Amino acid sequence: MRYLIDTFLIVVILNLIVGCGKKASVDNKHIQDSIAQVEKRNRHIQDSIIKEKSLFAWGTIKFGTSMKNVAKTNIMKNCSIGDGYLMMDYDVVDEIRNAFYLSELMSFYAYFEEDELTSIELKSYPRTADHIDDLISECNTLSDIFQKKMGKPYTKKDNVDISNFNEGQDFIYASYIIGHKSVLIKLGEDYEGGEFYYTIFISNSDFPKKKHIPTKEEIKAQKDAESKQKDVQNNSF
């Protein structure tokens, strides 16, 4: 009888232990699920912030904005209008030059495809070799500005000197990426050699959003090119 009572007590205790274990397991799973949901929500918020930041091309101007609306902004007042681009007025460039101590900055272009802002390019004056250090110094100034806005550089070249330059070529000095937006800071030498420059290229691979619909002229030009190619092929070899 004593044996049966002891056995019964052991069974009851084991059931209690197992029951508590199951409850702890359920509670633990609930906690893990809650953590996973919070992490997912945080990732979603972070992705939304990154996407929003990546939409800005310059100041408050967003990628995808029409040429007409970009031309209306303060920074593009009195700009020159070309085929698929706007060139910032010299006086406004001078304001940027003075505000950020970029004495080598020469020009600012905004480029469009399908009437959507797709990229921005800043260019320095072409300079002789004795100004290479000045160009590099301004690239560092620009690099610091983009780092504050976009975080640490994706790439950054150290110890740049005249040996890094080649005629007719440029190279990436620093690059930044956030979402689908990228910034490339480049240094280069012109094709004739002896003059050096920097360019800043800001773009977003999501733009243009519109698909290009060929015009009648483009369709005709394509057909003419194909016809000429066939003619050359049929009358060669």
Side-chain angles (χ1 to χ4, degrees):
M1 184 68 178
R2 174 78 179 177
Y3 173 76
L4 290 174
I5 293 172
D6 290 343
T7 303
F8 174 76
L9 289 173
I10 291 170
V11 171
V12 170
I13 292 169
L14 286 173
N15 283 332
L16 288 172
I17 293 171
V18 170
C20 289
K22 286 182 178 178
K23 185 177 184 302
S25 178
V26 170
D27 289 343
N28 186 49
K29 186 177 185 306
H30 179 71
I31 292 170
Q32 289 178 343
D33 289 344
S34 298
I35 292 172
Q37 288 175 359
V38 171
E39 290 177 345
K40 183 178 180 180
R41 182 172 178 274
N42 287 341
R43 282 196 302 271
H44 178 71
I45 292 172
Q46 188 64 25
D47 289 345
S48 297
I49 292 171
I50 290 173
K51 184 177 181 180
E52 182 64 19
K53 284 185 176 181
S54 72
L55 293 177
F56 290 93
W58 187 269
T60 58
I61 301 175
K62 290 186 175 183
F63 290 104
T65 306
S66 69
M67 183 183 288
K68 181 180 179 180
N69 286 334
V70 172
K72 290 179 180 178
T73 61
N74 286 333
I75 68 161
M76 297 306 286
K77 61 185 177 183
N78 302 320
C79 65
S80 300
I81 301 174
D83 184 14
Y85 71 87
L86 298 175
M87 185 176 73
M88 183 180 283
D89 182 70
Y90 178 83
D91 290 339
V92 183
V93 174
D94 196 47
E95 290 175 5
I96 295 174
R97 190 185 295 123
N98 293 331
F100 296 99
Y101 306 102
L102 300 171
S103 60
E104 302 297 333
L105 180 62
M106 178 181 70
S107 61
F108 180 112
Y109 288 84
Y111 295 104
F112 300 80
E113 295 178 33
E114 305 300 317
D115 197 30
E116 294 180 33
L117 177 63
T118 57
S119 59
I120 284 174
E121 185 178 39
L122 290 78
K123 295 181 179 180
S124 74
Y125 289 101
R127 296 300 193 190
T128 52
D130 55 324
H131 285 277
I132 284 179
D133 286 345
D134 297 328
L135 296 173
I136 294 172
S137 176
E138 291 198 7
C139 284
N140 283 327
T141 297
L142 288 159
S143 182
D144 290 342
I145 292 170
F146 286 114
Q147 183 164 329
K148 288 177 182 177
K149 291 180 174 293
M150 300 176 67
K152 292 182 179 180
Y154 184 72
T155 60
K156 181 84 180 285
K157 202 170 184 67
D158 296 321
N159 304 317
V160 173
D161 57 35
I162 195 168
S163 65
N164 296 104
F165 293 81
N166 292 295
E167 291 181 15
Q169 297 180 17
D170 55 32
F171 61 90
I172 296 175
Y173 178 71
S175 63
Y176 295 83
I177 297 175
I178 182 168
H180 291 124
K181 175 183 176 180
S182 64
V183 174
L184 300 178
I185 301 176
K186 294 183 177 183
L187 286 160
E189 183 177 359
D190 67 14
Y191 284 98
E192 296 180 359
E195 290 196 325
F196 306 85
Y197 59 88
Y198 68 70
T199 62
I200 315 299
F201 193 74
I202 306 168
S203 63
N204 186 313
S205 60
D206 274 347
F207 296 89
K209 294 285 190 182
K210 301 187 193 80
K211 291 184 178 180
H212 179 65
I213 300 174
T215 63
K216 290 180 180 179
E217 291 77 11
E218 289 172 334
I219 293 171
K220 184 178 182 304
Q222 179 65 27
K223 286 182 177 179
D224 289 345
E226 290 173 356
S227 177
K228 185 176 181 179
Q229 183 184 32
K230 286 181 180 179
D231 185 58
V232 172
Q233 290 172 345
N234 292 334
N235 292 280
S236 299
F237 299 97

